[in-house]
Amino acid sequence: MATTSRSSLKRYYDVNGWLFVAPAIALISLFMLYPIARSLVLSLYSGRGMMLKFSGTGNLVRLWNDPVFWQALQNTVIFFIIQVPIMITMALILAAMLNNPKLRFSGLFRTMIFLPCVASLVAYSILFKSMFSLDGVVNNTLLTIGIIGEPIGWLTDPFWAKVLIIIAITWRWTGYNMIFYLAALQNIDRSLYEAAKIDGVPSWGRFAFLTIPMLKPVILFTTITSTIGTLQLFDEVYNFTEGTGGPANSTLTLSLYIYNLTFRFMPSFGYAATVSYVIVLMVAVLSFLQFYAARERR
Amino acid sequence: MDYSRAFKRSISATVAGAALLCSTAAFAGEVTIWCWDPNFNVAIMKEAAARYTAKNPDTTFNIVDFAKADVEQKLQTGLASGMTDTLPDIVLIEDYGAQKYLQSFPGSFAALTDKIDYSGFAKYKVDLMTLEGQVYGVPFDSGVTGLYYRTDYLEQAGYKASDMENLTWDRFIEIGKDVKAKTGHEMMALDSNDGGLIRIMMQSGGQWYFNEDGSLNITGNAALKAALETQARIVNEGVAKPTSGWNDGISALTSGDVASVLMGVWITGTVKSQADQAGKWALTAIPKLNIEGATAASNLGGSSWYVLEASAEKDEAIDFLNEIYAKDLDFYQKILTERGAVGSLLAARTGEAYQKPDEFFGGQTVWQNFADWLVQVPAVNYGIFTNELDTAVTANFPALLKGTPVDEVLKAIEDQAATQIQ
């Protein structure tokens, strides 16, 4: 055929090929590249609403001196450091358990654990809020069992509010990550496990030295997507705290802070763009570190 | 092909099309309005629109109902992007945000100084929509505050209606402790994450987060200091039931959990929504702060109508607001009776509806009370950063509960606010 005989250089100059991808390139440029470039320019401007003036590094100085930004950053990092490992570990353990071919009703269990991540976000937020309110079912149960002496202020105490957010996002996203592990586990040859079993490797050893190394690429993938997800955490906090990130800014995340800077406070589009680039930078650095840690060593 | 003829033809078609559009616009414009709360603002606007179309049958109205946050977000996005054709002709803006919009999007709203007689409206409402000598917007609902309380709970605790007159906050807390001890009900619901109560108390003391010139007024603000101390006492002495978020607070009120609620007049409809509680409620003025110049009148929330400068139906929209909201006294009687809306048109305060006793409140003439308090509300400068300051106050309030001296807390609020307001 004609096309196969062409050199790659000729293919490069083939107008037809370019025409085919032109609509996609145009759309990507218009809706992705342009906004990214424009927001970078915007981050150099400051001012109220549309009264923008060029300020160079002014927004960076403001960022450095802004206690609320540091609080939001700290909260985001806390969510990230505590929540992602808990969720990844739980997802792995659940996947390994549900992968057991002798387990009955495994389809039912898988569906049940996966369901939270397709539940309506607003519905589950409302449900969680009512369950964890001062006289909600969670406090009442804990009181009845005798684990706590007085009701926990899940939504009114700065410490417990953070715990509640972690519980909520873990509940919602564990099943999602579990599905990836399950899919990867199906591809591991059963005979490996049988051989290990015959060699007398206990079940925890098979999990630690067989399952986890085999799943490394998938673990890397889920860790990075979870990192990005947690750094961009917005919906849960917005719905639980009615957009305030309270109590006492204890659940304010960077994304919610950007929202507040743009829509709730005096609109500071330039400053909000600067804060957005902090997230971009963090995601880039963390993803690089994770790739680096998981690289193939020779 | 004759290109010039085709060109000419398309030009003339365009001109004809444009002329057609203009002529239809002049004869029968559609006024688009954005607002929130279907049972209040939207319903009231529909009533106003019906009254206007009765006299001007060619005008049509498109009243769009959004959540308040969505109205603000859409408005802000439209103004920022400059795509004015996505914006409505009239928009409802909450009073705290008015100056923020006027100052950060200059030229976006129509100045109505010569078109509407502002002398008929409550001064504090007109003040907050004035910028550099020009008045924008038409004052609408007032957020004048009152203290609604359960007479049955108070009676069980041994208090009569006369005990609830001329309250101070000290007395209120004392009564609250008694009510809690004798009935098991907290005196009120309180969301410490919401700065509403502090704002009510501060304004009743005649001050705000800002001075007249817009500079921060925190560390030297006696009213704010007293308000913070008072709210901390309310929490620490167990007078309030801690709630989280608006709905939680409302359910504490409607379920009969708490013995009183201190809010803007617009809460009346919610209080009255529980028919089985009829006759068990009464209304009194809010407690006074223990500082000089304190009053028993304040404001919470409240909103006004603004016309967009770029609106194609600008004149029609202004005429509509002027005819109904600035002149139609009968309209105000109707929305008061049907929706519990206390407008800020002073002349509407003498109507028959205001004199009517309300059986839900044991025959009290509650509307007359609100109308009387309305004129006593101290005018303050809401400034442009109320949301920022609210966040700074609620973020530092927990420290006060843990025993940090109030002056240190005020300093922390000022420091946080200083970086936020620029």
Side-chain angles (χ1 to χ4, degrees), chain B residues 41-58:
Chain B
N41 299 315
V42 178
I44 288 167
M45 207 35 155
K46 280 190 180 143
E47 169 68 25
R51 280 168 182 258
Y52 190 75
T53 38
K55 287 184 200 151
N56 304 274
D58 290 334

Side-chain angles (χ1 to χ4, degrees), chain B residues 186-208:
Chain B
E186 284 92 355
M187 191 63 175
M188 61 192 295
L190 181 66
D191 180 358
S192 305
N193 206 25
D194 180 300
L197 183 61
I198 287 178
R199 272 184 267 125
I200 293 175
M201 290 194 267
M202 178 169 52
Q203 187 168 0
S204 76
Q207 300 209 54
W208 197 250

Side-chain angles (χ1 to χ4, degrees), chain B residues 3 11 41 94 114 118 183 209 256 297 314 357 383 396 421-422:
Chain B
Y3 282 104
I11 287 282
N41 299 315
E94 197 180 31
D114 314 321
Y118 284 103
T183 69
Y209 298 129
K314 192 171 86 179
N396 288 290
I421 58 168
Q422 44 182 293

Side-chain angles (χ1 to χ4, degrees), chain A residues 6-25:
Chain A
R6 284 185 187 176
S7 73
S8 64
L9 195 67
K10 263 189 185 157
R11 206 162 58 226
Y12 185 77
Y13 285 113
D14 188 347
V15 177
N16 285 335
W18 283 106
L19 279 178
F20 270 114
V21 292
I25 292 178

Side-chain angles (χ1 to χ4, degrees), chain A residues 48-51 62 65-68 134-135 155-156 242 244 246-249 257 259 262-267 269, chain B residues 73 76-77 80 100 104-106 193 241-246 384-385 387-388 391 394-395 398 416 419-420 422:
Chain A
R48 299 170 182 176
M50 291 322 287
M51 319 275 282
R62 177 175 173 186
N65 295 318
D66 182 356
V68 183
L134 207 60
D135 39 18
L155 293 153
T156 50
E242 306 198 346
T244 60
N249 282 345
Y257 190 44
Y259 176 87
T262 324
F263 296 114
R264 233 160 67 85
F265 296 164
M266 169 66 78
F269 300 113
Chain B
Q73 188 177 333
Q76 210 145 313
T77 317
K100 173 176 93 171
S104 56
F105 300 103
N193 206 25
K241 177 189 164 108
T243 54
S244 164
W246 179 252
I384 48 180
F385 295 114
N387 279 335
E388 280 87 336
T391 311
T394 49
Q416 176 175 334
T419 57
Q420 294 285 304
Q422 44 182 293

Side-chain angles (χ1 to χ4, degrees), chain A residues 11-295:
Chain A
R11 206 162 58 226
Y12 185 77
Y13 285 113
D14 188 347
V15 177
N16 285 335
W18 283 106
L19 279 178
F20 270 114
V21 292
I25 292 178
L27 289 174
I28 289 172
S29 311
L30 186 64
F31 292 111
M32 287 184 72
L33 300 181
Y34 173 72
I36 290 172
R38 187 73 187 82
S39 64
L40 194 60
V41 175
L42 192 62
S43 72
L44 301 174
Y45 285 78
S46 67
R48 299 170 182 176
M50 291 322 287
M51 319 275 282
L52 288 173
K53 278 200 300 278
F54 185 79
S55 74
T57 55
N59 282 327
L60 286 175
V61 175
R62 177 175 173 186
L63 194 73
W64 186 257
N65 295 318
D66 182 356
V68 183
F69 163 74
W70 289 109
Q71 167 96 55
L73 183 66
Q74 189 193 332
N75 294 340
T76 310
V77 170
I78 289 175
F79 287 140
F80 162 65
I81 290 180
I82 297 178
Q83 195 266 332
V84 174
I86 292 179
M87 179 175 67
I88 297 291
T89 316
M90 275 179 63
L92 256 177
I93 294 171
L94 283 170
M97 283 163 62
L98 292 181
N99 197 43
N100 184 350
K102 289 184 199 129
L103 183 75
R104 299 181 67 190
F105 309 116
S106 65
L108 180 73
F109 289 128
R110 285 175 199 182
T111 316
M112 277 167 58
I113 296 170
F114 183 67
L115 267 183
C117 90
V118 289
S120 149
L121 184 91
V122 175
Y124 113 82
S125 297
I126 292 172
L127 198 67
F128 259 64
K129 270 188 80 165
S130 92
M131 279 167 60
F132 284 86
S133 70
L134 207 60
D135 39 18
V137 66
V138 174
N139 271 336
N140 283 343
T141 312
L142 293 177
L143 278 170
T144 321
I145 306 174
I147 293 178
I148 51 172
E150 55 180 272
I152 294 174
W154 292 102
L155 293 153
T156 50
D157 181 273
F159 172 78
W160 290 108
K162 271 202 187 74
V163 175
L164 175 62
I165 298 288
I166 289 174
I167 292 175
I169 46 182
T170 307
W171 177 82
R172 187 167 162 89
W173 293 112
T174 302
Y176 177 79
N177 289 303
M178 181 197 73
I179 293 292
F180 289 104
Y181 297 141
L182 267 176
L185 282 170
Q186 314 277 315
N187 284 328
I188 300 178
D189 197 342
R190 294 245 136 246
S191 59
L192 281 173
Y193 287 99
E194 275 158 30
K197 215 171 175 178
I198 293 165
D199 286 345
V201 181
S203 63
W204 67 265
R206 273 172 281 160
F207 179 71
F209 298 111
L210 264 178
T211 310
I212 289 182
M214 303 284 263
L215 290 183
K216 207 165 97 177
V218 187
I219 294 177
L220 177 67
F221 170 77
T222 52
T223 317
I224 290 178
T225 48
S226 307
T227 304
I228 297 171
T230 312
L231 289 180
Q232 295 181 343
L233 181 64
F234 175 82
D235 312 79
E236 275 83 358
V237 186
Y238 183 87
N239 282 309
F240 282 21
T241 68
E242 306 198 346
T244 60
N249 282 345
S250 62
T251 58
L252 184 75
T253 60
L254 287 174
S255 298
L256 188 60
Y257 190 44
I258 293 169
Y259 176 87
N260 284 343
L261 285 172
T262 324
F263 296 114
R264 233 160 67 85
F265 296 164
M266 169 66 78
S268 314
F269 300 113
Y271 187 53
T274 312
V275 180
S276 319
Y277 271 91
V278 172
I279 299 187
V280 173
L281 199 72
M282 283 174 65
V283 169
V285 169
L286 286 169
S287 305
F288 173 78
L289 286 178
Q290 284 160 2
F291 270 115
Y292 185 78
R295 74 193 186 282

